[in-house]
Structure formats: C-alpha cells, structure tokens
Amino acid sequence: MDKILVRGGNPLKGTVQVRGAKNAALPLMAAAILGEEPVVLHNVPCLHDIFSMDKILAHMGMAIEFTGRAMTLDPRNFGTPEAPYELVRKMRASFFVLGSLIARFGRAKVSLPGGCAIGTRPVDIHLKGLEALGVKICIEDGYVIADGKLKGANIALDFPSVGATENLMMAASKAEGITRISNVAREPEIEDLARLLNAMGAQISGAGTDLITIVGVDSLGGAEHVVLPDRIEAGTFLVAAVATRGDVTVQNAIADDLPVFLDKLEEAGATIEVHGTKIRAAAPNGIKAVDFSTRPHPGFATDLQAQMMTLLCCAEGVSRIKETVFENRFMQAAELVRMGADIDLDGNTAIVRGVKSLSGAPVMASDLRASAALAIAGLMADHGETAISRVYHIDRGYERIEERLASLGGDIERVRE
Ligand code: UD1
C-alpha cells in the first residue's frame, strides 16, 4: 500500500495546471449511454473514479478508448443494463448511470451505491424523481430494479442534490413530453452535462438556475465535448498556496465557479488575483480566522471545507465552520488535532482555535477531500514528517497530487510499503 510522506516548511511557489473536473466527467461518461453514436470527451482526468466508471460502462458493453486525456465512448454495442454491486460499491457516482439506462432500455438494474463515508447519503431524491417520470422502482437484495416508459412531469426536488439532478436530466431527455424540475442543483457540472446533452440533440434549458426544463426527444446522437476545469482541484491548490505562505498561480481555473470560496480566502487575509483563466493566491500578511457554512452552489462548496479548515488551524483567532450539506464530514478534524490543531466539534459545527503551528504525524486518510486536507496540513507543519496512509482515497480525485505539489516546491513524495 502506498503512503504519502510530507515535510513542511517550504512555501509553495510557481504555476500549476488544473485538470478536467472529475465530477463533470463522471456524469458525462454516463450520458454516453443515451446516444446512438460515439461521444468523445477531451480533458478527462486520469483518476481512479474515472477508471471505476470506465469499468462499469465497459461491463455493460460500452466500447471505451482512453488515450492521453481523450476518451471515446461508443455505445453501439451496449448490452445489459445492469450495474453490479462489485463495481458500483466503489463509487457513489456509479449510480448516475440509472437515468440513462432507463431512458435507453426502459429498464435497469443498478446496485445501491457506496463511495466516501461522509454520511448516509441516500438516493431517495433520485428514485422519487424517476417515479414521477413514470418509472416503477423496487429494491431487491441491494439492487434498484427499475422499469417503465418515461413520461415528462413536473418535479420539485426536496434538496438540490447534484446526482439526482443529473440522473433526472439524463432520463428526461428521452421522456415523452416536457419535464420541469425545480429546486435543482446549480453546480457548474450540471451546466457542463446540459452542454453535452444538448450537443447530442437534447433540448434542455435552465441549467445553472434552479429550474430546468427538458423537452423530451426520440433519439440522441454522438458529440464531442471538452470537460470543464476542476474547481475543487483549483481550490485545493489555492488553499495549499495560502497555507504555506506561498505564491501560486493556478491555470485553467474558472474564478466564477468559486464565488464564496475566493471571498473567504480573501477575508482570511489572502491576496487573490484573477486574470482570465488564471487565479493567483498569496498570503503576505498571515491568516485571520473566518466563519463559513457549506451550501449547495453557488455557496461554499462542501468539497473544499476540509482544506479550508486545515488552513484555519493556524489562523489568528477562532473560526466557526458549519457543514450543512453532509452529516458526517469533519473526519479530518481528529487527524488535524493529532497534528496539534485545536478543534472542537459540536454537531454540524466545528470550532477551530488558531494555533501557532502544526507538527508532522502519522495520519490516516478517511475520504477524498479529507486526504487532500491532510497533505496541506503536512506542508504547513513546522517540524516532523506526516505519513498519510490509505492514499487510495486521494487517488480517487486528484491526479498525482504529490508530484504536482512537489513541482511547486513542496517536500512531498509517495512511497510504496
Ligand atoms: C456530488 C459530488 C460530491 C459533492 C456533492 C455535494 C459528484 C460525483 N459528487 O455528490 O463531490 O460533495 O455533490 O456538492 O458530483 N441526498 C439525499 N437523498 C438523495 C440524494 C442526496 O438525502 O437522493 C443528500 C445527501 O445525503 C447529502 C446531500 O443530499 O447529504 C447532497 O448530496 P448530493 O448533492 O446528491 O451529492 P452527490 O451527487 O452524491
């Protein structure tokens, strides 16, 4: 098993390129099921989650070629609409194939999902929405078995779930008639999915607002599409720059996709400069405590909460962080405390009292973003080595993060035990 070893003390400096967004690429790959011709995706990141989706689709008969960062998904010999537990359990986003499978085959059998241990993460909103579209759902032996002819409907989501919005957009794109979905997620990845589906021939409007309208069409074709840049990866590098009192320019980043996050970094004392698709972050005068709450987009992204908490561990003053999207997403806190942080948890609120410095320690990655936070903590430590185990979590969502942080001057490497 690999470990990542980090020694702190070096301010990160230089330029780093952001890859394509994992959370956009996964539903885009699922959308390829819907077409009658191949879909070509560019700027696809090389990540374990992408390989997991590749395996699920290939298992069902999708022909996939992935070279460089270009992926061709050919659905012409797609066979069985069944996604088995052994493949789906690795990643919750595998469940996003359900909507496309029903739209293409009128039936599907998909295992209930696994993924990061950051809460119970039910799929009730996905299923309720599909039922409203006329699908009969039953749960048997851990599988969702769905069948029925899709008919347009008016659907109001109980919560703006990203995955449910995506699943329903894909299903409704081939439903008979018009579907209106309100209280939908407004994440940039939703807009990216709508762009691909529309390029394939779908008629979707309103993506990026809280009401999406979909006029169902009989068939969809192929398309070529560039995956949008990963805003969470951009944010992670920006936090790492500020946390090490460095000066880093993140290229291929979209500042408009990080609205509250960039404001909070500035409020904490960072200087942020945006030039087109470049964001530069530095922290010349130290870091101050800030309060923030995670929210669905355009609020502060829950996927950047752990990294921001790490930065605030050494801020001047007391920060209050409220996690409103997931119920169990402070798993990094206990590990940060082992590195010298002063954090108290009170339900969904974390109280972070700034300390002078962190020290290296052996720590365990518990989920994807928490593990990135631990790498940042290791870079912040003023003495000692941080050895991060269970790094498969980090490989799910960051492409060779240690090499890229090292290229910015971080003392960080991967070792095989
Ligand atoms: C997506 C992202 C993930 C991000 C999350 C929130 C992908 C591949 N993953 O996950 O990185 O952290 O959005 O921004 O895009 N919920 C229900 N019932 C449902 C669905 C969701 O109760 O049917 C709850 C979840 O338990 C969670 C909240 O809604 O508490 C948000 O979940 P959701 O927006 O669905 O997240 P994902 O799509 O799984």
Side-chain angles (χ1 to χ4, degrees), residues 204-390:
I204 300 175
S205 55
T209 74
D210 61 5
L211 174 70
I212 292 182
T213 303
I214 302 154
V215 181
V217 296
D218 287 340
S219 68
L220 295 175
E224 203 159 338
H225 179 86
V226 181
V227 179
L228 97 165
D230 196 321
R231 63 198 165 98
I232 306 302
E233 189 179 86
T236 303
F237 283 122
L238 293 171
V239 172
V242 174
T244 58
R245 308 293 184 267
D247 185 345
V248 170
T249 299
V250 176
Q251 283 183 330
N252 191 29
I254 303 175
D256 284 350
D257 289 348
L258 290 162
V260 181
F261 168 76
L262 290 180
D263 292 348
K264 287 291 166 186
L265 268 189
E266 280 189 318
E267 198 183 319
T271 54
I272 303 287
E273 284 172 29
V274 178
H275 298 287
T277 56
K278 290 182 189 158
I279 308 177
R280 178 179 173 192
N285 300 316
I287 292 302
K288 300 187 292 269
V290 292
D291 298 339
F292 70 94
S293 289
T294 64
R295 299 252 181 250
H297 195 76
F300 192 105
T302 173
D303 285 350
L304 285 167
Q305 177 260 110
Q307 300 89 315
M308 190 73 173
M309 174 189 278
T310 305
L311 166 71
L312 296 173
C313 286
C314 294
E316 199 188 313
V318 180
S319 306
R320 274 177 195 75
I321 303 173
K322 202 164 174 188
E323 173 57 60
T324 72
V325 178
F326 288 108
E327 65 202 30
N328 183 23
R329 212 174 190 183
F330 286 140
M331 282 181 296
Q332 72 281 2
E335 301 297 281
L336 292 171
V337 167
R338 297 182 58 251
M339 296 176 71
D342 181 351
I343 305 170
D344 275 331
L345 299 184
D346 179 12
N348 70 349
T349 303
I351 297 137
V352 185
R353 289 178 204 87
V355 295
K356 249 183 114 248
S357 61
L358 298 180
S359 54
V363 289
M364 206 175 283
S366 53
D367 71 70
L368 167 52
R369 305 303 169 186
S371 34
L374 295 177
I376 295 172
L379 294 169
M380 287 164 69
D382 74 346
H383 65 276
E385 183 177 81
T386 298
I388 308 174
S389 51
R390 297 197 181 163

Side-chain angles (χ1 to χ4, degrees), residues 2-201:
D2 291 358
K3 273 192 180 180
I4 290 182
L5 302 183
V6 198
R7 287 159 294 266
N10 296 356
L12 298 188
K13 291 209 161 123
T15 299
V16 65
Q17 181 86 18
V18 169
R19 306 288 188 225
K22 164 183 93 72
N23 286 354
L26 293 169
L28 296 174
M29 289 170 73
I33 297 171
L34 290 165
E36 276 153 37
E37 295 294 325
V39 163
V40 181
L41 300 176
H42 299 279
N43 199 29
V44 179
C46 283
L47 299 171
H48 282 203
D49 274 9
I50 298 292
F51 304 142
S52 298
M53 184 61 102
D54 182 321
K55 278 202 188 112
I56 290 167
L57 295 175
H59 170 84
M60 295 189 281
M62 179 85 81
I64 304 178
E65 253 181 56
F66 189 19
T67 39
R69 300 195 177 284
M71 180 180 279
T72 304
L73 302 109
D74 186 344
R76 283 175 290 193
N77 294 316
F78 208 88
T80 354
E82 285 189 22
Y85 172 70
E86 306 79 74
L87 299 175
V88 174
R89 74 184 169 86
K90 297 206 169 121
M91 178 184 69
R92 180 176 164 88
S94 353
F95 197 68
F96 301 180
V97 298
L98 182 62
S100 302
L101 290 176
I102 299 166
R104 172 149 178 190
F105 295 96
R107 66 191 168 88
K109 182 176 173 187
V110 177
S111 169
L112 286 163
C116 285
I118 53 177
T120 50
R121 301 181 88 178
V123 288
D124 54 315
I125 303 172
H126 299 242
L127 300 184
K128 232 167 113 180
L130 289 169
E131 281 174 336
L133 289 172
V135 178
K136 237 181 84 211
I137 304 266
C138 63
I139 312 253
E140 262 175 35
D141 308 327
Y143 279 80
V144 173
I145 299 170
D147 79 294
K149 192 164 160 26
L150 291 160
K151 262 196 137 145
N154 290 337
I155 304 168
L157 303 189
D158 293 336
F159 180 87
S161 154
V162 174
T165 303
E166 291 168 341
N167 239 333
L168 296 174
M169 277 164 76
M170 291 191 259
S173 61
K174 283 183 76 179
E176 189 190 318
I178 298 178
T179 299
R180 287 184 196 86
I181 318 172
S182 57
N183 196 28
V184 289
R186 291 187 277 163
E187 269 69 1
E189 293 76 22
I190 304 283
E191 291 182 73
D192 211 35
L193 177 61
R195 276 192 288 271
L196 172 68
L197 291 170
N198 284 340
M200 291 166 73

